[in-house]
Amino acid sequence: QVQLVESGGGLVQTGGSLRLSCAASGRTFSSYVMGWFRQAPGKEREFVAAIRGSDGNTFYADSVKGRFTISRDNAKNTVYLQMNNLKPEDTAVYYCAAGVIPYGYHASAYRYDYWGQGTQVTVSS
C-alpha cells in the first residue's frame, strides 16, 4: 500500500510559479511511475506529467511542455512538479498518482493504483 500526500498548491498570478510536492510512503517508491494529473471544474481529469522510476524518463502533456518540469528524489520518496509561466487555464485540482505502468501508458489514469487527495492551484488573470 502506498499513501500519497500533495502540497504546494495555492493562488498565483498569471506568469507566476509554484512547486508541487508529493510525498509517498512505502519502500518501493523507486519502482513506481509517478504522475501528475489535474481536474478543472466541469472537466475530466487530464494527464499533466509523468516520470519513470527505472530510468527517470519524463513525459509531458503538450499544454504544459516547456513550462512544467517533473522530477523525483527517490531517497526522499518525493516527486515534484515545478510549474512556471502559469496561465489561468492551469487552474485545477492537481493530483499525484503512482503505479507500476508499462511503457506507453503513463498518460492513462486508470493505470495508476494510488492517488493523493489533491491540491488546489488557482491562477488569476
Side-chain angles (χ1 to χ4, degrees):
Q1 190 75 9
V2 176
Q3 291 186 327
L4 304 174
V5 179
E6 302 102 333
S7 61
L11 173 65
V12 65
Q13 292 186 331
T14 296
S17 298
L18 283 174
R19 188 175 83 152
L20 305 183
S21 299
C22 174
S25 65
R27 293 179 288 180
T28 57
F29 176 77
S30 61
S31 66
Y32 287 104
V33 172
M34 299 300 298
W36 286 98
F37 290 76
R38 66 187 182 187
Q39 188 166 19
K43 295 187 176 181
E44 293 187 354
R45 190 169 299 192
E46 66 173 0
F47 169 75
V48 176
I51 184 168
R52 298 191 64 84
S54 56
D55 52 22
N57 280 355
T58 57
F59 309 88
Y60 297 93
D62 287 342
S63 58
V64 306
K65 208 171 288 184
R67 300 188 298 122
F68 291 11
T69 302
I70 188 171
S71 62
R72 66 192 295 162
D73 186 336
N74 288 337
K76 295 183 178 180
N77 280 14
T78 302
V79 63
Y80 305 97
L81 186 68
Q82 177 66 44
M83 305 185 295
N84 298 329
N85 191 21
L86 283 160
K87 305 175 181 180
E89 51 265 42
D90 294 319
T91 295
V93 176
Y94 283 71
Y95 296 90
C96 173
V100 179
I101 301 171
Y103 250 98
Y105 293 91
H106 51 268
S108 301
Y110 75 93
R111 288 281 185 170
Y112 289 80
D113 300 307
Y114 305 103
W115 292 83
Q117 82 288 351
T119 185
Q120 177 70 46
V121 171
T122 303
V123 185
S124 63
S125 56

